[in-house]
Amino acid sequence: MKHLLKLLDLSAEEIIGLLDLADKLKYEKKHNIPHPILSGQTLGMIFQKSSTRTRVSFEVGMYQLGGQALFLSSRDLQIGRGEPVEDTARVLSRYLDGIMIRTFAQQEVEAFAQHGSIPIINALTDFAHPCQVLADLQTIREYHKTLEGKKLCFIGDGNNMANSLIVGGLKTGMKVSVVTPKAYAPDPVIMEFAKAYPGFEWTQDPMQGAADADILYTDVWASMGQESEQKIREEAFAGFQINKTVMSVAHAGAIVLHCLPAHRGEEISADVLEEHANEIFDEAENRLHAQKAVMVTLMKK
């Protein structure tokens, strides 16, 4: 494992290994056991999309590991003025020990990995969000003690979150149902991948998808860069909300996850979000621990 570009690239054993390491680092942090594993190293953080959880968790995580993080807005880099990604990757590889990128096109992080000489971490593209899903899987294990055989139901846009949950869930032995409007299905590459797993289901019926689910998951209807589609999407996704009615067909004890930010009254009702706030904010905290596991795995020398 040289980079983390998408979960499709990882084996089930590599995913479980990252989760085990994340649990260990979380335990050590909770018990004030220092772990300066990346002392003296620097992570460059390139942001072409805004962020709350990604920036803070990576920056704090790098600090806790004994290294430092360098915030690099695309507005301040030459890449924002047209410098080829290939050149930026080769230059930054000579200064840094790892690069984290939060951007639009998956091809951009793939190009960084191809032309750079240091580990590259995908911190979100329009295709994949592997760091978020590692934190999600860690949270599910904390609440349900296992991933094997548990049913995860995602309701919403078949975007980067749905794509990555399908891959991460199925590879680790979960059943995965995805509920989207017909025009907002997951990426064809992911749908083709999922065909090999009998535990996968895609439907347009939230009640069917949520039946007997152990985990309900949703995301905003209009992601960053799609703000102009807000009204169109509100109409397309009407009825695709996690609420008490949908929860009534899930397993007793089912948890609810949301990658945040949440829009109460749209993809999730306010009462369900507040009832499951502990799970959702444990999930947000686990971004820190899961990403530290990724950085240690990729950058430890």
Side-chain angles (χ1 to χ4, degrees):
M1 183 177 167
K2 186 177 179 181
H3 308 287
L4 178 60
L5 306 180
K6 55 187 181 299
L7 293 180
L8 280 171
D9 300 334
L10 272 57
S11 67
E13 291 73 21
E14 287 174 321
I15 294 173
I16 296 299
L18 286 169
L19 300 182
D20 291 344
L21 179 55
D23 287 346
K24 176 177 181 290
L25 293 169
K26 183 173 184 177
Y27 175 88
E28 291 178 352
K29 180 66 181 67
K30 298 290 184 186
H31 291 81
N32 296 315
I33 302 171
H35 43 228
I37 304 167
L38 300 183
S39 177
Q41 295 198 47
T42 302
L43 176 76
M45 305 190 305
I46 299 176
F47 284 86
Q48 301 214 45
K49 288 186 174 181
S50 59
S51 164
T52 297
R53 280 153 291 278
T54 298
R55 177 176 177 179
V56 176
S57 56
F58 265 106
E59 196 162 332
V60 170
M62 198 60 191
Y63 174 78
Q64 292 176 0
L65 291 169
Q68 61 179 342
L70 189 62
F71 177 76
L72 301 167
S73 167
S74 62
R75 292 186 297 274
D76 303 322
L77 293 172
Q78 294 295 341
I79 196 172
R81 299 177 58 240
E83 181 174 62
V85 168
E86 295 85 343
D87 292 352
T88 303
R90 284 181 283 195
V91 170
L92 294 183
S93 293
R94 302 196 177 215
Y95 303 146
L96 304 168
D97 301 288
I99 296 176
M100 178 233 87
I101 309 174
R102 183 176 172 88
T103 187
F104 294 90
Q106 178 71 18
Q107 293 81 358
E108 193 167 342
V109 296
E110 303 276 353
F112 258 89
Q114 181 180 353
H115 295 281
S117 57
I118 55 177
I120 304 298
I121 300 170
N122 178 355
L124 183 140
T125 65
D126 291 341
F127 177 72
H129 200 354
C131 292
Q132 176 66 57
V133 171
L134 290 171
D136 299 338
L137 296 176
Q138 183 183 11
T139 309
I140 293 167
R141 280 207 322 190
E142 290 174 345
Y143 277 87
H144 286 306
K145 309 305 179 189
T146 183
L147 299 174
E148 190 74 31
K150 295 298 178 183
K151 178 179 176 180
L152 183 153
C153 172
F154 176 89
I155 299 177
D157 187 11
N159 63 2
N160 46 17
M161 280 310 311
N163 292 340
S164 298
L165 285 167
I166 292 169
V167 177
L170 293 177
K171 282 195 171 187
T172 55
M174 299 179 73
K175 302 171 186 174
V176 179
S177 65
V178 172
V179 186
T180 75
K182 186 176 181 180
Y184 295 88
D187 189 278
V189 171
I190 302 300
M191 295 293 273
E192 186 63 29
F193 160 85
K195 281 183 180 176
Y197 292 84
F200 176 71
E201 175 189 31
W202 173 56
T203 174
Q204 298 171 55
D205 181 352
M207 299 298 281
Q208 178 183 333
D212 299 323
D214 300 289
I215 305 101
L216 277 297
Y217 199 116
T218 190
D219 188 9
V220 294
W221 291 340
S223 298
M224 283 175 285
Q226 299 169 336
E227 290 80 2
S228 63
E229 303 175 22
Q230 180 68 32
K231 287 298 179 187
I232 296 172
R233 285 173 171 266
E234 285 178 7
E235 295 177 6
F237 286 94
F240 289 78
Q241 181 190 75
I242 293 181
N243 51 36
K244 289 286 190 184
T245 302
V246 170
M247 293 298 298
S248 70
V249 299
H251 269 155
I255 65 172
V256 175
L257 299 180
H258 193 306
C259 53
L260 301 174
H263 291 178
R264 293 166 173 79
E266 293 187 8
E267 75 277 1
I268 188 168
S269 64
D271 56 350
V272 168
L273 187 145
E274 292 304 328
E275 184 177 336
H276 294 274
N278 285 343
E279 300 140 29
I280 292 169
F281 290 99
D282 282 345
E283 174 193 12
E285 177 192 331
N286 283 339
R287 290 289 303 277
L288 171 67
H289 309 298
Q291 289 162 188
K292 285 169 68 177
V294 171
M295 290 189 286
V296 168
T297 300
L298 296 179
M299 297 171 63
K300 183 180 178 182
K301 297 177 181 176

